[in-house]
Amino acid sequence: MIESTFVLGMTGPTGLIIISIIALILFGPKKLPQFGRAIGSTLREFKSATEHITDDDEESLDTPSTKSSKQRRDK
């Protein structure tokens, strides 16, 4: 029964509490806000980068490339 609780996909409320307690013990209460800020800024940068990539992809789909328009003129 104990083996079934230590699954890698344990993300329920109990799992989050256990992870929080372990992080508090390992890093202490002074370091946790710094880690939270670092994780938040990293996620923010990742989100903006992925939005920029998807915007570029949508833009390239909307406008034909110069090579394809050049080929159309030659025909």
Side-chain angles (χ1 to χ4, degrees):
M1 181 166 169
I2 294 174
E3 293 171 9
S4 64
T5 59
F6 292 108
V7 179
L8 291 176
M10 181 176 65
T11 57
T14 307
L16 293 176
I17 291 171
I18 291 171
I19 292 171
S20 300
I21 290 172
I22 291 172
L24 185 61
I25 291 170
L26 288 176
F27 302 114
K30 292 183 180 180
K31 293 283 184 178
L32 284 181
Q34 293 173 355
F35 285 124
R37 275 187 236 112
I39 291 172
S41 66
T42 302
L43 290 175
R44 216 174 303 119
E45 288 177 22
F46 180 75
K47 183 179 176 183
S48 67
T50 55
E51 286 176 353
H52 180 69
I53 290 171
T54 56
D55 290 343
D56 288 344
D57 288 344
E58 290 174 0
E59 192 174 290
S60 67
L61 291 176
D62 291 341
T63 59
S65 67
T66 54
K67 185 177 182 182
S68 63
S69 63
K70 202 177 209 183
Q71 289 174 347
R72 286 186 206 136
R73 280 188 252 145
D74 292 339
K75 289 183 181 182

